[in-house]
Amino acid sequence: MPKILPITLLSVSCAALFPATVSALSMSPPPRANPQPSKFVFKDASGKATSVDVIQSYQPTKIGRPFATGAKSDRQLDPKLMRAATIAEERAHAHSRRQCWHAVKEALLASGVISSRPKTEYAKQAGQELVNNYGFRKLPVNDPYQAPVGSVLVYNANRAAGHVEIRTKDGFVSDFRSKTPSHRPLLGVFVKS
């Protein structure tokens, strides 16, 4: 009995001194499996109170129309080229990682435009390999902005690997996205029908 009395007194005094801690220790019912969406209330720019549902989970959906406005698409081209442009854009970074030809190869393979991985090492060699081994053809286009969506643009460089990118509806993409084409000399615009 003598041991129980000090413990009891200590417990009662703690409850008196720290009531919030004691109430937090009480048992609460477990959370519901599917709680109702809660609302986030805020004031907009005009000072009006507005509320929106708080999203509890993320449900990815496929992109129905991957392109907004901008470049024209050519109906005679292989539709897989447009898919390659979308894949490259989804995987692209904000800045170059100096892997343009690698990124374009991966997008072309993933979309099914080509059946095997190109062997050339330099980006400036991409056009010739695409024509010789994968059924691409060179378009008579000298302006990158006039290239159809999904076309592969190959650029030269004197003492470097060159550059390769795919035309998108909004710009150009390789391992990074850009609204403007490369500043290098354009070797050609290549498509597959």
Side-chain angles (χ1 to χ4, degrees), residues 35 95 121:
H95 302 286
E121 195 173 330

Side-chain angles (χ1 to χ4, degrees), residues 143-160:
D143 181 10
Y145 289 105
Q146 297 301 317
V149 174
S151 59
V152 178
L153 289 82
V154 180
Y155 300 90
N156 194 11
N158 289 335
R159 293 184 211 139

Side-chain angles (χ1 to χ4, degrees), residues 93-132:
H93 303 282
H95 302 286
S96 175
R97 297 200 174 170
R98 303 176 86 68
Q99 296 289 317
C100 61
W101 185 211
H102 175 77
V104 170
K105 286 179 192 179
E106 292 299 321
L108 293 173
L109 270 171
S111 66
V113 175
I114 58 176
S115 57
S116 63
R117 188 172 180 76
K119 305 256 188 279
T120 54
E121 195 173 330
Y122 298 118
K124 60 185 175 186
Q125 300 167 334
Q128 196 60 40
E129 183 174 16
L130 291 173
V131 169
N132 292 342

Side-chain angles (χ1 to χ4, degrees), residues 19-175:
T21 307
V22 173
S23 66
L25 296 176
S26 64
M27 294 297 288
S28 60
R32 294 187 303 180
N34 287 330
Q36 294 295 325
S38 59
K39 296 277 188 178
F40 177 72
V41 180
F42 62 96
K43 290 186 180 180
D44 61 11
S46 64
K48 181 181 173 187
T50 308
S51 68
V52 293
D53 290 333
V54 175
I55 298 173
Q56 301 293 332
S57 62
Y58 173 72
Q59 180 63 36
T61 56
K62 288 188 175 183
I63 300 172
R65 295 191 59 148
F67 302 114
T69 59
K72 297 176 185 173
S73 58
D74 189 348
R75 302 252 183 235
Q76 295 176 354
L77 300 182
D78 188 343
K80 292 177 184 174
L81 284 173
M82 291 183 71
R83 180 69 185 132
T86 303
I87 290 170
E89 201 162 30
E90 289 171 354
R91 296 177 179 178
H93 303 282
H95 302 286
S96 175
R97 297 200 174 170
R98 303 176 86 68
Q99 296 289 317
C100 61
W101 185 211
H102 175 77
V104 170
K105 286 179 192 179
E106 292 299 321
L108 293 173
L109 270 171
S111 66
V113 175
I114 58 176
S115 57
S116 63
R117 188 172 180 76
K119 305 256 188 279
T120 54
E121 195 173 330
Y122 298 118
K124 60 185 175 186
Q125 300 167 334
Q128 196 60 40
E129 183 174 16
L130 291 173
V131 169
N132 292 342
N133 300 337
Y134 297 102
F136 279 70
R137 62 185 167 88
K138 184 177 179 180
L139 293 180
V141 176
N142 295 326
D143 181 10
Y145 289 105
Q146 297 301 317
V149 174
S151 59
V152 178
L153 289 82
V154 180
Y155 300 90
N156 194 11
N158 289 335
R159 293 184 211 139
H163 183 64
V164 63
E165 59 194 9
I166 299 176
R167 178 71 163 119
T168 65
K169 197 79 168 169
D170 299 320
F172 305 86
V173 66
S174 56
D175 61 329

